[in-house]
Amino acid sequence: MAMVQKKNVEDLNVAGKKVIVRVDFNVPLDKTTNEITDDKRIKGALPTIKYLVENNAKVILVSHLGRPKNGPEAKFSMKPAADRLAELIGKPVVLASDVIGEDAKSKAAALKEGEILMLENVRFHKEETKNDPKFAAELASMADLYVNDAFGTAHRAHASTAGLANFLPSASGYLIQKELDFIGGALANPKRPFVAILGGSKVSDKIGVISNLIDKADTIIIGGGMAYTFAAAKGASIGTSLCEPDKFDLANELVAKAEAKGVKLLLPVDTVCADAFAEDANSQVVESGKIPDGWMGLDIGPKSIELFSAEIANAKTIIWNGPAGVFEFDKFATGTRALAKAIADSDAISIIGGGDSAAAIEKLGFAEKVSHISTGGGASLEFIEGKVLPGIDCLQDKEIGRTFAAGNWKMNCGCPDDAAKLINELKPLVKDATSTIALGVPFLAIPAALEAAAYSNIKIAAQNCHFEEKGAFTGEISPLWLAKMGVTYVIIGHSERREYFAETDETVNKKAKAALSYGLKPIICCGESLAQREANETFDWIKGQIIGAFKDIPAEKLCQITIAYEPIWAIGTGKTASDEQAQEVCAFIRGVIAELYCDKCAAAMTIQYGGSVNAKTAAGLFSQKDINGGLVGGASLKAEDFSIIALA
Ligand code: AMP
């Protein structure tokens, strides 16, 4: 995905505010003494915590530690982490005895400026990993603002890693910011030559990484166990080396793709092979592809080291993920050590993916000599794969005015099979879009749509919801269910619903508030009929709709809301408001929000135009000052047309 700048903690007004910060204090503990054996993760969060303390915020920290299965367990308490933080920061850190219980809530309420509260292990509640909206709402109720600084869990959509952002204004902390700057920067705008070094055991774990890097890097170096699958795929002899025969076709495809794109894909030219998988095995160096029967490749050979080191020396950007051999055995760590040294010696921007590569660079003593060691294992891998990380994606944009292209399929798609088909067609077309993209699909297509859109930059919207959570409302859809399923947006008060289903400003307001209370983002529609336009009643009518829809909605919630201006006379009629007509009303709506709230609130509001937007009209409409995108009907059912709109 193209890089969208997210707000940083410095972009929030934190003084006097309660700020809930998701940190990654999942530190290793000694099994017998329960003492922290490595406090790197706590140290990593210090810059953000210090900033908040120094700027008079009331700091509420939340993290998980270990994998508690059934509620609270003393051995998974955050106490050791809270105590260590207090030592490191030189201030008391109060530990709550629960997460969203009485103790946490009363301690949060009593916080004074500059004080720090740590909640108990958030995974004491099973609702955390389910991203349960009610649990997230309870957590959010203790704070005014949300900061995510846990990169290690940013690839998970949990309540504390992503869900909180549906309830509170949000930003990243310094740790996530640094990951975004380095990894995001390298992927979006690398200094060239950009050399990616990939190793580790299996091709299957790195398919996504290699595919994404082929589109971005100049050179891809492949080492480690996975190189043997590439060699065997070409018919070479690899003895008993690691091999995934079911990935032969894929390996050959990746080689062909690199060739077609002019990307240099380098495989080892020689290998250190052993007669057993053991530290003290007998070893010999052989040419790649000529490993004798019964021997296995455990490291790259000296000629490969020379070849790869020369590429590394020439690089301006380097990403390294996965060791070149079985570096845990000293005897087979030579290749990994040599590449680590080459990276350390180069003056390129060097980024070390988390997990094993980070461990290797530290073990080999080169940690200080690289630009950035990622703090995430799975998260950094998924980031390099180009997947959308929920813990980052959920945060507010730095710049206001990002285009939001939302489709409204109405009842017009073959359900549910068409949903997956359409989304799968759309995904590659919009993967580099900087706009926000959502599809409002029929209720029955939601599960298929969510599955097809997973990890992509396409969000799913519902076309309506009820305002009650449950009860005797035959045929209605609960906003809680939608939130639990993972739906992001809900269209509310569409003119068709107002006209055919007697939806009033009052119900629109009730639905909007209900949606917000479950962490769904409402797209609130308004618009005038042809008769009203001709009678010059447009502005009065729309002002009434906006005032009605926003009744009792506090300013902090505006960042979750989108307004869609939909002139009824231009919906499904093929008539489009001219750019000027659409701009005039959207500017007026912004003015109404300014009157109801404040100028800054109005400037930050996302306002869409809807009404026969198509591939031809989108660019003109979206370039208007007060139009931040469109709510698109028919054209959102054609992948190519909608992609043109999303990229407009
Ligand atoms: P990954 O988690 O995929 O990055 O893999 C890291 C693991 O790959 C390390 O534990 C290495 O020991 C292992 N590895 C690297 N090269 C080889 C090899 N030639 N044969 C077996 N395992 C390897």
Side-chain angles (χ1 to χ4, degrees):
M1 193 184 67
M3 274 281 284
V4 175
Q5 289 268 337
K6 293 295 179 179
K7 276 191 181 173
N8 171 272
V9 61
E10 290 176 26
D11 298 314
L12 298 175
N13 188 0
V14 301
K17 298 278 173 51
K18 293 199 202 78
V19 184
I20 187 160
V21 189
R22 179 45 156 107
V23 287
D24 181 5
F25 284 1
N26 182 26
V27 286
L29 298 176
D30 185 284
K31 281 203 177 71
T32 45
T33 63
N34 219 27
E35 280 192 13
I36 296 173
T37 53
D38 182 352
D39 62 3
K40 201 167 51 210
R41 288 182 170 160
I42 301 178
K43 285 185 176 145
L46 282 176
T48 300
I49 301 171
K50 277 187 181 154
Y51 174 86
L52 290 169
V53 166
E54 282 162 15
N55 286 277
N56 303 320
K58 303 169 182 176
V59 184
I60 304 170
L61 303 177
V62 58
S63 176
H64 79 286
L65 195 161
R67 293 172 179 240
K69 290 272 176 303
N70 291 311
E73 259 183 278
K75 70 173 175 183
F76 294 118
S77 167
M78 296 309 303
K79 183 162 192 324
D83 290 348
R84 178 60 59 91
L85 172 63
E87 277 165 38
L88 291 169
I89 205 164
K91 271 181 85 64
V93 174
V94 177
L95 179 69
S97 62
D98 50 28
V99 185
I100 51 165
E102 276 301 305
D103 194 56
K105 284 185 176 162
S106 64
K107 285 185 170 136
L111 272 176
K112 298 203 179 64
E113 293 182 6
E115 288 183 349
I116 305 170
L117 168 69
M118 169 110 235
L119 304 180
E120 252 310 349
N121 191 333
V122 69
R123 289 204 191 156
F124 286 170
H125 291 259
K126 61 180 184 322
E127 295 89 342
E128 158 68 0
T129 50
K130 290 187 180 153
N131 195 5
D132 182 276
K134 285 186 142 180
F135 177 68
E138 286 287 328
L139 267 180
S141 72
M142 288 185 266
D144 308 303
L145 300 167
Y146 168 56
V147 169
N148 189 9
D149 210 19
F151 184 72
T153 49
H155 58 316
R156 306 272 179 236
H158 295 169
S160 70
T161 63
L164 279 171
N166 294 331
F167 298 91
L168 297 170
S170 56
S172 72
Y174 291 112
L175 193 85
I176 284 195
Q177 180 71 53
K178 189 165 175 246
E179 299 277 1
L180 291 178
D181 289 348
F182 275 101
I183 305 183
L187 294 175
N189 198 10
K191 286 199 177 137
R192 296 187 182 277
F194 174 12
V195 177
I197 307 150
L198 302 171
S201 45
K202 293 192 198 147
V203 180
S204 48
D205 292 342
K206 306 275 161 86
I207 298 168
V209 172
I210 304 174
S211 312
N212 195 37
L213 287 174
I214 285 179
D215 288 333
K216 308 196 187 304
D218 302 295
T219 303
I220 297 179
I221 292 172
I222 294 192
M226 68 180 182
Y228 304 106
T229 297
F230 279 86
K234 286 189 293 189
S237 302
I238 59 160
T240 52
S241 306
L242 268 187
C243 184
E244 294 172 275
D246 61 325
K247 294 290 174 291
F248 284 174
D249 287 348
L250 182 94
N252 287 330
E253 272 165 35
L254 289 169
V255 171
K257 190 175 165 197
E259 210 171 279
K261 293 221 159 204
V263 174
K264 226 196 263 183
L265 193 140
L266 298 179
L267 290 161
V269 289
D270 56 357
T271 189
V272 180
C273 56
D275 59 359
F277 188 84
E279 175 85 72
D280 57 358
N282 293 311
S283 67
Q284 59 171 321
V285 175
V286 299
E287 257 178 65
S288 276
K290 296 194 176 156
I291 300 180
D293 286 351
W295 290 67
M296 62 179 75
L298 294 186
D299 195 6
I300 55 173
K303 286 194 187 131
S304 309
I305 292 179
E306 205 173 304
L307 175 73
F308 295 170
S309 299
E311 285 295 323
I312 293 169
N314 203 21
K316 289 275 178 291
T317 304
I318 299 167
I319 285 190
W320 181 32
N321 192 295
V326 184
F327 76 102
E328 295 92 336
F329 297 154
D330 226 26
K331 188 165 183 178
F332 304 104
T334 311
T336 303
R337 186 181 299 118
L339 297 192
K341 182 166 181 326
I343 296 169
D345 287 346
S346 96
D347 45 16
I349 295 169
S350 49
I351 298 160
I352 314 300
D356 272 317
S357 328
I361 203 108
E362 273 162 24
K363 181 177 172 217
L364 301 170
F366 294 112
E368 301 300 317
K369 298 210 171 126
V370 296
S371 316
H372 179 63
I373 301 178
S374 177
T375 53
S380 83
L381 208 59
E382 291 194 17
F383 198 9
I384 301 170
E385 275 178 54
K387 282 188 184 163
V388 170
L389 302 188
I392 293 170
D393 187 44
C394 68
L395 304 173
Q396 279 180 263
D397 295 343
K398 190 160 190 114
E399 307 288 340
I400 57 173
R402 180 176 173 194
T403 302
F404 179 11
N408 177 10
W409 288 359
K410 307 188 181 182
M411 228 166 65
N412 288 324
C413 86
C415 189
D417 300 345
D418 276 4
K421 189 166 156 267
L422 241 150
I423 291 171
N424 285 325
E425 268 174 56
L426 182 63
K427 270 196 296 197
L429 302 178
V430 297
K431 77 175 177 9
D432 290 320
T434 48
S435 51
T436 305
I437 300 168
L439 290 171
V441 307
F443 287 125
L444 292 177
I446 287 175
L450 283 168
E451 196 184 326
Y455 298 111
S456 79
N457 54 345
I458 300 170
K459 304 278 187 310
I460 300 305
Q463 296 173 15
N464 176 37
C465 71
H466 194 52
F467 46 78
E468 294 289 350
E469 176 182 317
K470 63 179 201 173
F473 304 102
T474 304
E476 288 294 331
I477 300 284
S478 160
L480 176 63
W481 302 341
L482 295 175
K484 281 194 170 185
M485 290 172 86
V487 167
T488 309
Y489 296 95
V490 56
I491 302 170
I492 288 175
H494 190 278
S495 64
E496 286 155 15
R497 294 211 55 86
R498 292 182 191 256
E499 193 175 335
Y500 309 139
F501 304 103
E503 214 148 271
T504 62
D505 289 342
E506 194 191 346
T507 38
V508 168
N509 175 246
K510 279 184 173 174
K511 288 183 175 190
K513 285 191 289 197
L516 290 168
S517 73
Y518 297 104
L520 290 169
K521 297 178 196 297
I523 300 174
I524 298 175
C525 302
C526 61
E528 83 285 17
S529 65
L530 186 59
Q532 286 166 326
R533 176 158 277 263
E534 285 172 351
N536 279 330
E537 290 167 3
T538 298
F539 295 108
D540 286 346
W541 178 254
I542 287 187
K543 186 169 184 173
Q545 286 184 318
I546 296 291
I547 291 173
F550 282 79
K551 187 167 175 285
D552 300 329
I553 292 179
E556 315 82 80
K557 288 289 179 190
L558 294 183
C559 59
Q560 316 287 1
I561 304 175
T562 301
I563 299 175
Y565 165 55
E566 298 210 304
I568 299 171
W569 49 273
I571 297 177
T573 58
K575 282 186 197 162
T576 316
S578 67
D579 294 353
E580 295 72 27
Q581 282 172 323
Q583 158 61 21
E584 185 186 26
V585 181
C586 289
F588 174 78
I589 292 170
R590 208 177 288 285
V592 176
I593 294 294
E595 266 177 52
L596 291 176
Y597 297 92
C598 68
D599 287 350
K600 223 171 131 187
C601 309
M605 189 87 219
T606 302
I607 303 178
Q608 297 175 319
Y609 167 75
S612 305
V613 176
N614 59 42
K616 289 204 181 81
T617 56
L621 287 161
F622 297 178
S623 65
Q624 300 300 310
K625 183 171 162 287
D626 288 291
I627 301 178
N628 308 115
L631 181 56
V632 183
S636 69
L637 284 149
K638 295 179 206 119
E640 188 166 349
D641 285 15
F642 191 57
S643 73
I644 294 169
I645 295 167
L647 294 163

